[in-house]
Amino acid sequence: MSSRQMLLCLQFTSGYGAEPGAWRLPGANLRSYTDMDQFVRYARAAERGKIFADTPVLDVDLDHQVPHFAIDPLLVMTSIARETERIGLVSTASTTFNEPYNLARQFKALDVISHGRAGWNAVTTSDPAAAANFGRAVPPQAEKYERAHEVVQIVQALWGSWEKDAWVLDVDGKRFADMDKIQPVGLQGRHVASRGPLPIPPSEQGQPVIFQAGGGSYGLELAGRYADGVYANPYTIEDGRAQRQTLRDAAERAGRDPDEVKMFAGFMPAIAASRRAALDRRRFLDESVDLRQRVRYLGAMIGLPLDHGHIDEPLTTDQLADAVPSPHDPRSARALQVAREGWTLRDVLAHGVIDYHPVVVGTAEDVADHMQQWFEAGACDGFSLAIDGYHDGVDAFVDQVVPLLQERGLFHLDYEGPTLRDHLHAREQYGLDKRVSETAAR
């Protein structure tokens, strides 16, 4: 058995899958977007640790594609919490347009309801369309992240404003709670403030776990100070190792143990009995996207003027000789590698070479091999899985890939404990992390 154990998250979006055409897969529930029983079924099948992505904007053409995100991730997760026992529940909520008191109340309520299985993916918002839904504009980056630090600190202070032993429940003494241990936080920042207290007792893990997603120096500092889990998008092992080390260094600068911060690499598996069958599945899913545009983009990635009229042909010998991967897109080398294997342009695209995470299209063994290679190389602490179509893809991963990872000693046979904090081996924390506060004050 490996001393390190892989961590796994499953991205739940609209209820259909990570690919735009997932709603059209044979057997898919066409009403998964609003059917909470579907989310519960997927969660029960997985019972690992899950991430729910959210953004407050409609950003797709619903004529042909389904929404990217859940109708309301906190309500979806509350539904799942009541029907599961061990699975971790992590939701994204922006620090840019939400008030800290509302965030603290919602996430701690979910944490109590789920008996200590909640996490908050604290991110900033950059989309002007999302900002417009709040009648505001996206603030400058420095201001946006200054507010993010204030929001996270006030939220954590509010989480700790009801002390752990404040709930007395003394029937004979007629005391419900000790008000001396439920105190206002009285925090005032430049952008946000809250008096408190938050009238919610601690959960079995104390308070929710903080996650973070977002790159750049500002996002790195936010993650290094507060996050126990970080979602990253490396495309190569080398990039993953570099990102993970940079993250660990940021945690150390914040006065934390680098091992406290776990990096999840985004990954998109497409599983079938053979590579050809998996490609055919992806080709069906690609029917819902604009392949003309994708062919043009593929051409830009490898330095060739490609035409949609040749989509069912491989690149010629002359084209392969002239092809050069773009230095501006980290996916380009992989795209050219696949093209050189002799696949048609349609099949090259079906390999997922322009998807937003690395893609493996093949058997369960192919998927497990990729994950093992990345994990053992130190490119991540685990994976954030974007399954192509949930209705059969979740079961395929759980029933076929997970046993292989367990046989190889890479993934635990059972949960580490009942809470999300246990699953992550995250340190105990209630209220603000004094180490981070002291480091920031110096």
Side-chain angles (χ1 to χ4, degrees), residues 384-403:
S384 176
L385 303 166
I387 302 294
D388 53 4
Y390 297 147
H391 88 96
D392 57 353
V394 173
D395 288 327
F397 185 87
V398 170
D399 296 337
Q400 299 177 41
V401 179
V402 167

Side-chain angles (χ1 to χ4, degrees), residues 271-292:
I271 304 165
S274 67
R275 189 177 186 183
R276 180 67 263 172
L279 281 171
D280 289 343
R281 175 182 173 90
R282 290 277 308 201
R283 284 175 58 147
F284 177 83
L285 292 168
D286 282 348
E287 291 177 4
S288 293
V289 300
D290 185 351
L291 287 177
R292 292 181 181 275

Side-chain angles (χ1 to χ4, degrees), residues 362-439:
T363 66
E365 289 79 6
D366 295 329
V367 171
D369 289 347
H370 171 94
M371 298 173 73
Q372 180 173 2
Q373 184 181 17
W374 276 57
F375 181 69
E376 291 183 340
C380 61
D381 296 289
F383 295 90
S384 176
L385 303 166
I387 302 294
D388 53 4
Y390 297 147
H391 88 96
D392 57 353
V394 173
D395 288 327
F397 185 87
V398 170
D399 296 337
Q400 299 177 41
V401 179
V402 167
L404 293 175
L405 298 174
Q406 291 171 329
E407 289 169 9
R408 300 177 190 186
L410 299 170
F411 190 67
H412 55 233
L413 300 176
D414 200 358
Y415 283 102
E416 305 297 327
T419 71
L420 176 57
R421 201 169 290 276
D422 291 328
H423 305 342
L424 293 169
H425 298 283
R427 70 185 293 272
E428 182 180 353
Q429 181 180 340
Y430 196 63
L432 284 166
D433 186 340
K434 293 182 179 179
R435 300 169 304 167
V436 174
S437 301
E438 291 168 357
T439 302

Side-chain angles (χ1 to χ4, degrees), residues 25 57 76 117 131 179 197 336 388 410 418:
L25 283 169
V57 62
V76 171
R117 295 184 283 136
M179 279 304 296
L336 184 53
D388 53 4
L410 299 170

